[in-house]
Amino acid sequence: MMETWGAKVHSSPSKLTQFGRSILEMDPKSPGSLGIAVSEAVEAALADSNTKYSLGSVLNHVLLHQTVIGEECLQQMALAEETPDIIIGCIGGGSNFSGLAFPFMREKMKGKLNPIIRAVEPTACPSLTRGVYTYDYADAAGITPLLKMHTLGHDFIPDPIHAGGLRYHGVAPLVSHLYSLGMMEAIAIPQIECLQGALQFARAEGVIPAPEPTHAIAAVIREALHCKETEEAKVILLALCGHGHFDLSSYEMFLDGRMVDLDFSQEKVYQAISKIPSLS
């Protein structure tokens, strides 16, 4: 689509940057990661005075920009005369999750609302649920400033799950801080359960979700079934952050029975965490 309007798109890791070439030398079949792509983008921007780059997730200004989502949801819920008991969104770097959750978190801090706020990440890249809370780089090459966040290690490369937007080693500092304070929850769900939920959602709602929000959908289904068992009535607010029209190959693999669940290697995490810079 971008190339339709004149842009040139390069798959990361690429041969255009020194860091991309170094990754391909170590692993010619590297699936890449968001951290690697950020490193290549920063390197390209530093090498050309006419090139500008702005990180599209993780940083405070991005989270603030996205909060229009939650601000609109507050008004929509008021129009419906409902109050969410639980808010669920998928999380990678954390910008879209924050966009929905932060305005409700503000109201929760003021004592006006008291929803459970739950982030859902892939089991193959469990930065919140299995990462460490420390200072780390936002990119794989270690070019960016250090950020205090939950991280699996900046050079951790997740297995190639279909939710590419969630394949990031860390979580936004603001989200990490709230999680460390116990003001929100986090769980991890494997991709087959997510795609099962996506089919159920699409057949009920007529919308094919992107692979990323299928994690939130799977968590919503879990919560709804729990409410059914306990005979509780809850209002669940879901962040459906994208359609899956560009990801139909993922649905094809799932429907053909070729999709497998990918977990993360604890050994890979230990190796990546050992390379986190020490500030002592």
Side-chain angles (χ1 to χ4, degrees):
M1 179 179 285
M2 290 184 284
E3 292 190 341
T4 298
W5 282 285
K8 180 60 177 175
V9 180
H10 301 278
S11 178
S12 177
S14 74
K15 296 181 179 180
L16 298 177
T17 66
Q18 181 178 345
F19 186 65
R21 290 190 294 271
S22 70
I23 294 293
L24 292 173
E25 286 175 6
M26 291 186 292
D27 181 6
K29 296 182 179 180
S30 171
S33 69
L34 291 177
I36 293 173
V38 171
S39 293
E40 290 203 86
V42 173
E43 181 183 330
L46 291 173
D48 185 352
S49 60
N50 293 319
T51 301
K52 309 296 181 184
Y53 173 70
S54 178
L55 190 64
S57 186
V58 178
L59 301 182
N60 293 350
H61 70 278
V62 186
L63 274 57
L64 177 63
H65 176 76
Q66 295 255 26
T67 54
V68 65
I69 301 169
E71 297 291 0
E72 290 184 356
C73 281
L74 279 167
Q75 296 184 34
Q76 291 167 349
M77 296 297 288
L79 287 173
E81 298 182 344
E82 293 282 9
T83 300
D85 297 298
I86 182 167
I87 297 168
I88 298 176
C90 65
I91 193 164
S95 59
N96 183 266
F97 172 81
S98 303
L100 176 67
F102 276 14
F104 287 92
M105 185 72 75
R106 177 193 65 219
E107 300 304 302
K108 185 173 183 175
M109 290 177 173
K110 290 180 178 180
K112 295 182 178 180
L113 299 174
N114 191 33
I116 294 171
I117 298 176
R118 183 174 298 157
V120 190
E121 57 188 6
T123 55
C125 193
S127 307
L128 275 176
T129 55
R130 304 293 291 274
V132 295
Y133 187 37
T134 187
Y135 283 92
D136 198 6
Y137 295 107
D139 71 302
I143 303 173
T144 65
L146 293 170
L147 304 174
K148 190 173 186 183
M149 59 182 178
H150 283 83
T151 176
L152 295 169
H154 59 274
D155 64 352
F156 175 74
I157 301 177
D159 286 336
I161 57 172
H162 291 274
L166 305 186
R167 295 181 64 248
Y168 185 64
H169 65 274
V171 179
L174 285 177
V175 176
S176 293
H177 180 60
L178 291 170
Y179 184 63
S180 71
L181 294 176
M183 299 185 68
M184 54 171 282
E185 302 176 356
I187 61 173
I189 299 181
Q191 65 179 358
I192 287 181
E193 180 181 347
C194 295
L195 266 292
Q196 289 170 340
L199 284 188
Q200 187 176 347
F201 183 90
R203 290 166 179 172
E205 301 294 334
V207 177
I208 298 175
E212 289 78 12
T214 64
H215 293 73
I217 290 170
V220 167
I221 292 173
R222 285 186 181 184
E223 186 67 26
L225 291 175
H226 176 72
C227 289
K228 188 175 182 179
E229 291 176 0
T230 60
E231 297 184 347
E232 295 177 86
K234 288 186 181 179
V235 176
I236 306 172
L237 179 58
L238 158 73
L240 185 68
C241 57
H243 64 69
H245 297 174
F246 302 142
D247 304 281
L248 294 179
S249 60
S250 299
Y251 284 87
E252 181 181 17
M253 286 190 67
F254 176 74
L255 291 168
D256 287 348
R258 292 181 288 121
M259 183 174 287
V260 296
D261 278 332
L262 298 172
D263 206 342
F264 79 109
S265 165
Q266 188 63 57
E267 182 180 352
K268 283 174 60 179
V269 173
Y270 287 148
Q271 291 174 354
I273 288 177
S274 70
K275 297 177 183 178
I276 294 175
S278 174
L279 300 182
S280 59

